[in-house]
Amino acid sequence: MSDCMKCQVPESEYRFKALEILTFHIRDLNGERRVQALGETVDFSICKSCAQKKLDVIRRPDRRSCRSSMAFGGVILLGIILFAVFFTDGAIRLMGLACMAGGAMGLMDTIRRMRAKSAKYKQLSPEEALNRAAWECAIEAAPKKSGENDLTYMPVNEKTLNFKNGDLMVLYDLLPEIAAQAWDKIREV
């Protein structure tokens, strides 16, 4: 597979190997449990143009990257409307204030995260930043579900080869036995 996952341009510049991690969430009376399994090793390809577009959005967030901010703006607007319309009813007015406060906190957190990510990418060399942006682009384009299972991906590269089981557990949210299996499978690949 050498076509770009995003725009289907042939002969993509960035190629990645990744290990699929299938997660099934079981909800019962005792709460929620996860069951995980390793999937196949897959290949991702991203062209330089798509990677550059993603890097530009990360470095300079614009309207397209602020879609999540719009939801918080809607919550703030709902709070203002509830506060204004039901000014005499204390409970609903209080709910309006809570909506405004919650929306404002969510909006500030989203902006803070975007700025932190932008600063992190600005510290990288241009080629490393483009490579990471290509990986993020590939993950966005990759399937997220396989039947009932959630799909996540772990890169198979020199960096992950140096990780230990505990590192894999923390970084990729793996169960202990799956982290050990992933560690073994990465070495095989």
Side-chain angles (χ1 to χ4, degrees):
M1 178 170 127
S2 62
D3 293 353
C4 177
M5 295 173 68
K6 289 283 246 188
C7 64
Q8 281 68 45
V9 168
E11 298 304 318
S12 299
E13 289 86 357
Y14 295 97
R15 290 184 179 84
F16 304 100
K17 266 198 182 319
L19 183 60
E20 289 179 336
I21 300 162
L22 294 97
T23 305
F24 184 70
H25 297 276
I26 301 172
R27 292 169 186 89
D28 59 10
L29 296 175
N30 297 329
E32 182 178 318
R33 292 182 298 131
R34 293 181 303 154
V35 177
Q36 287 183 327
L38 295 180
E40 300 296 318
T41 302
V42 293
D43 294 318
F44 296 146
S45 297
I46 294 292
C47 69
K48 194 168 188 169
S49 173
C50 289
Q52 186 62 51
K53 287 177 191 172
K54 179 69 177 172
L55 183 60
D56 291 342
V57 168
I58 290 170
R59 285 189 173 161
R60 284 176 275 137
D62 59 1
R63 282 187 219 129
R64 287 178 288 154
S65 64
C66 294
R67 286 189 186 129
S68 58
S69 304
M70 291 172 57
F72 292 118
V75 172
I76 292 170
L77 183 61
L78 175 68
I80 292 170
I81 291 169
L82 287 174
F83 186 78
V85 171
F86 297 101
F87 188 73
T88 57
D89 188 358
I92 297 178
R93 183 179 64 202
L94 194 58
M95 189 172 74
L97 285 173
C99 286
M100 287 189 281
M105 287 189 298
L107 184 63
M108 289 187 309
D109 184 56
T110 302
I111 291 169
R112 181 191 57 79
R113 285 183 187 190
M114 285 191 303
R115 285 184 179 167
K117 189 174 186 179
S118 175
K120 186 178 176 183
Y121 270 76
K122 286 179 182 176
Q123 293 175 353
L124 299 172
S125 68
E127 188 54 41
E128 178 64 23
L130 203 55
N131 192 39
R132 285 195 187 178
W135 171 254
E136 282 194 31
C137 203
I139 293 301
E140 285 176 5
K144 307 288 185 273
K145 287 286 225 184
S146 174
E148 294 290 318
N149 298 312
D150 292 338
L151 273 178
T152 54
Y153 301 92
M154 181 174 55
V156 178
N157 56 25
E158 291 297 321
K159 195 173 184 180
T160 53
L161 281 172
N162 295 327
F163 290 146
K164 296 180 180 149
N165 291 357
D167 298 331
L168 295 176
M169 282 175 48
V170 172
L171 290 172
Y172 300 104
D173 197 24
L174 300 176
L175 298 173
E177 61 274 5
I178 298 302
Q181 290 175 15
W183 194 80
D184 292 338
K185 193 160 185 176
I186 288 171
R187 300 240 162 343
E188 290 173 12
V189 174

